[in-house]
Amino acid sequence: MQNDVLATGIMSFVMHELVYFGRSLPWVIIDRIPYFNKYKIQADKIPTIKEQWDCTKLVLLSHFSVELPQIWLFHPMAVYFGMATGVPFPPVAKMLMHIAIFFVFEDAWHYWMHRAMHWGPLYRSVHKIHHQYSAPFGLAAEYASPIEVMVLGAGTVAGPIVWCAITGDLHILTMYLWITLRLFQAIDAHSGYEFPWSLHHFFPVWAGAEHHDVHHERFIGNYASSFRWWDYCLDTEAGPEAAKRRRERKLAKEAKNAKNAKKEL
């Protein structure tokens, strides 16, 4: 193809679909294998084939109506700001550094936008669709209204564009790797499975499925996508352990206040 924008847009969208559904497929299979039920966080809520098919149809609608234009427009915008598309490829260390920055940026964006989506009017008119499944599964990572897909998806592409605009240092290969890892993160966070080898056991600030599953079960808290620090620092963690920590802090504060009051007497 002579048109680079057309060729890259098609290739990028096809890659996105292959990664999204390719990564979701193992979770669809695992849901059908009873052996893995012991790792299911909400073991009594296994998605049916019909639920997964209904989910897939809405996801495809969002992909073609919202994500395709975003993906298509990314290339000319990023090239305008200096994104490289040829050889030589950047060093691995540089790509990893850029991807780490993009993860941190997207996580911050996701936290605040997702938290805003839980404000009454926005929840009822936009975000409620994503909470149709109180026990999430891989395919449901992007099961949401087109508005939500556009708003939250902006954090994935805005980070690289802003970085490229400021530094002029971004390669399209880095972008492809970033999108792949971001999709893996989102799908795995919605998988509904907690394993002894899950990443957060080795990297404690990582969110993972256990963190996000509680959000779907309780409909509040745990707003971040990849990391736990926003929810921890702003006291929006959900789940029994977070509730226990709040009780302990409350009791400690009450004991301190009582001690101070006693001194004043």
Side-chain angles (χ1 to χ4, degrees), residues 4 12 37 52 56 76 81 110 134 161 165 181 186 202 213 230 254:
D4 289 343
S12 300
N37 284 3
Q52 291 177 328
T56 299
F81 287 118
H110 191 102
S134 59
I161 289 176
L181 291 174
F202 310 98
D213 205 278
W230 282 105
E254 289 175 350

Side-chain angles (χ1 to χ4, degrees), residues 49-60:
I49 295 296
K50 183 182 184 303
E51 286 177 324
Q52 291 177 328
W53 174 237
D54 289 343
C55 173
T56 299
K57 288 186 287 186
L58 183 63
V59 167
L60 284 170

Side-chain angles (χ1 to χ4, degrees), residues 18-254:
L18 288 174
V19 172
Y20 187 88
F21 290 105
R23 182 55 185 164
S24 297
L25 182 59
W27 296 116
V28 173
I29 295 172
I30 285 173
D31 280 332
R32 308 267 69 81
I33 302 176
Y35 170 80
F36 289 102
N37 284 3
K38 61 183 178 182
Y39 299 115
K40 181 73 172 170
I41 298 170
Q42 299 183 56
D44 59 332
K45 296 180 180 178
I46 305 295
T48 65
I49 295 296
K50 183 182 184 303
E51 286 177 324
Q52 291 177 328
W53 174 237
D54 289 343
C55 173
T56 299
K57 288 186 287 186
L58 183 63
V59 167
L60 284 170
L61 176 63
S62 294
H63 283 186
F64 279 91
S65 63
V66 178
E67 296 198 30
L68 177 56
Q70 284 184 326
I71 292 170
W72 203 283
L73 290 171
F74 173 82
H75 180 262
M77 290 179 63
V79 169
Y80 174 81
F81 287 118
M83 182 180 73
T85 58
V87 292
F89 295 138
V92 172
K94 177 184 279 191
M95 289 195 291
L96 292 177
M97 181 192 73
H98 288 179
I99 291 169
I101 291 170
F102 301 158
F103 261 115
V104 171
F105 179 93
E106 191 283 330
D107 184 68
W109 175 275
H110 191 102
Y111 176 86
W112 289 106
M113 293 299 102
H114 186 192
R115 187 170 177 178
M117 292 282 182
H118 278 262
W119 174 58
L122 282 179
Y123 181 84
R124 290 190 294 272
S125 60
V126 178
H127 190 52
K128 188 176 181 180
I129 295 173
H130 185 66
H131 277 276
Q132 179 175 328
Y133 303 108
S134 59
F137 48 93
L139 279 168
E142 294 182 351
Y143 181 85
S145 75
I147 295 173
E148 180 174 346
V149 172
M150 180 175 63
V151 171
L152 295 185
T156 301
V157 296
I161 289 176
V162 170
W163 175 261
C164 190
I166 295 172
T167 68
D169 185 15
L170 178 66
H171 197 281
I172 195 169
L173 178 60
T174 305
M175 189 63 189
Y176 284 159
L177 290 173
W178 155 237
I179 293 296
T180 299
L181 291 174
R182 170 69 182 114
L183 286 172
F184 269 53
Q185 178 275 322
I187 293 164
D188 290 358
H190 286 81
S191 68
Y193 287 88
E194 166 71 6
F195 298 106
W197 55 86
S198 292
L199 182 57
H200 75 91
H201 292 300
F202 310 98
F203 186 43
V205 297
W206 188 252
E210 179 266 340
H211 181 265
H212 195 65
D213 205 278
V214 172
H215 173 79
H216 274 263
E217 184 179 16
R218 296 172 181 263
F219 297 95
I220 194 168
N222 291 4
Y223 299 114
S225 56
S226 298
F227 306 108
R228 296 174 183 248
W229 49 58
W230 282 105
D231 285 298
Y232 178 82
C233 292
L234 297 178
D235 198 25
T236 53
E237 290 183 296
E241 291 184 6
K244 180 182 177 183
R245 285 194 293 270
R246 287 193 189 94
R247 285 195 300 271
E248 290 173 349
R249 287 199 300 268
K250 183 180 178 181
L251 290 172
K253 185 178 179 179
E254 289 175 350

